[in-house]
Amino acid sequence: MRERELSSAPKRRIAPTVWILAIWTFLFVALPLLYVIGITFLEKDDVWGITNVFTLENYKNLFSAVYGKVFLDSFLVAIATTVLTLLIGYPFAYFTAKFPPRVRSFIVLLLMTPFWINSLLRLNGWIILLKANGVVNVSLQALGLIDEPLKILYNNGAMMLGMVYALLPFMITSIYNSVEKLDWTVVEASRDLGASPFKAFCTVTVPLTVPGIVAGCVLVFVPSMGLFFISDLLGGGKTLLLGNLIKNEFMQARNWPMGATLSIAMLVFTTVFIYLYKKVTGAKTLGGLR
């Protein structure tokens, strides 16, 4: 009897939008990814493109000293960028979340407005500010603080400035979401029990905002390994990051298999990093964003 009821029940139909999303994902996500994975096992042609010769040499090259140094430099830059954005972003997000709602909305709007402009245009603005005859050097010379222009452009310092500037909003918004949802009665309870403001901040506020901190670190760390244009524009290309190396393999060396292999390695690294984030925080999404 139960089987007859189940068989007579109307079958659930898959909505047309689900089919559209599935087809779209297969054509523009899965299929290109499979193609990239496929060419990692092929050899580079002598002139252009690839050959249909199977090889594992591209994956062996990942462990060479040259590529290892690039991975290490990219990792160190990503760590430094993450730490700097955290040190700047946490106080900013913390104090912003304590303002009245109308003021908070205005501050967040001011934070996001510059990022409606193309990132290359904004970075060129930094070049205008930092170059030898730029606003910073001219102002310092006018104040008599320096006698000759400072070399503050086309070095690692300028590159780190660009990295922090480009990725800081991701850190701020992630932490802001956590601080805004914080139960302040718990903080007040710790104060009533005799904890100092600093101790209450370290033992209550920070642990409760760990998901936002970790989400911000993920959202900053992962892209900072691939923002090659910042290294080229502000750093003068003196530090070869993973993103620069992938670009060079495709555009200059025309070694598509090696460029694809580096891209897959970066994708795997990113996936592992996000998986560790989920294990640490127990979150299903980044900072609650689906």
Side-chain angles (χ1 to χ4, degrees):
M1 186 67 180
R2 182 63 177 173
E3 293 178 356
R4 290 181 180 179
E5 291 178 359
L6 292 175
S7 61
S8 61
K11 296 182 178 179
R12 296 180 61 184
R13 294 182 178 180
I14 300 177
T17 53
V18 176
W19 283 110
I20 294 173
L21 288 174
I23 295 172
W24 180 275
T25 303
F26 176 76
L27 291 177
F28 298 103
V29 178
L31 202 59
L33 181 59
L34 290 174
Y35 173 75
V36 172
I37 294 175
I39 66 175
T40 62
F41 297 100
L42 301 177
E43 289 186 353
K44 171 184 176 293
D45 194 5
D46 294 334
V47 180
W48 177 264
I50 56 179
T51 62
N52 294 325
V53 179
F54 179 84
T55 182
L56 294 175
E57 195 65 26
N58 298 314
Y59 286 97
K60 292 180 182 179
N61 290 335
L62 289 177
F63 301 96
S64 65
V66 176
Y67 292 117
K69 185 179 185 305
V70 174
F71 271 96
L72 179 60
D73 291 342
S74 301
F75 180 78
L76 293 177
V77 169
I79 288 292
T81 303
T82 303
V83 171
L84 289 174
T85 53
L86 178 60
L87 293 177
I88 299 171
Y90 196 99
F92 188 96
Y94 178 81
F95 290 111
T96 299
K98 301 191 75 171
F99 281 112
R102 187 171 298 180
V103 179
R104 292 203 304 261
S105 301
F106 181 70
I107 293 175
V108 172
L109 178 63
L110 291 179
L111 175 69
M112 301 306 298
T113 298
F115 293 87
W116 296 346
I117 305 172
N118 184 275
S119 58
L120 292 177
L121 294 177
R122 290 187 279 109
L123 289 175
N124 276 289
W126 278 108
I127 293 175
I128 296 173
L129 291 173
L130 301 177
K131 63 183 182 179
N133 58 345
V135 176
V136 175
N137 275 311
V138 170
S139 300
L140 292 176
Q141 286 179 307
L143 294 173
L145 298 177
I146 58 174
D147 297 326
E148 57 183 16
L150 299 175
K151 295 181 180 179
I152 51 179
L153 189 60
Y154 305 129
N155 52 43
N156 290 336
M159 180 190 68
M160 290 304 305
L161 174 64
M163 288 283 190
V164 172
Y165 170 73
L167 299 172
L168 183 60
F170 297 104
M171 181 68 74
I172 292 177
T173 52
S174 299
I175 298 175
Y176 172 79
N177 288 333
S178 289
V179 177
E180 188 184 28
K181 299 173 183 176
L182 186 64
D183 186 0
W184 293 102
T185 58
V186 179
V187 180
E188 293 173 1
S190 67
R191 295 293 310 278
D192 293 338
L193 292 173
S196 63
F198 180 75
K199 187 175 182 179
F201 175 80
C202 294
T203 59
V204 179
T205 304
V206 172
L208 290 177
T209 56
V210 163
I213 294 173
V214 180
C217 291
V218 172
L219 293 174
V220 170
F221 183 88
V222 171
S224 62
M225 296 188 67
L227 294 179
F228 63 89
F229 60 92
I230 295 180
S231 177
D232 288 343
L233 289 177
L234 297 180
K238 294 181 180 179
T239 300
L240 188 63
L241 302 180
L242 186 56
N244 299 89
L245 183 59
I246 294 173
K247 181 202 70 170
N248 293 340
E249 291 289 349
F250 277 107
M251 305 301 295
Q252 296 180 9
R254 296 180 179 177
N255 190 348
W256 291 16
M258 195 62 226
T261 305
L262 291 168
S263 301
I264 295 300
M266 186 174 179
L267 179 63
V268 171
F269 182 83
T270 302
T271 304
V272 171
F273 201 80
I274 295 175
Y275 173 77
L276 292 176
Y277 155 76
K278 291 182 178 181
K279 292 293 288 185
V280 170
T281 62
K284 295 182 180 180
T285 56
L286 284 180
L289 299 175
R290 295 187 180 277

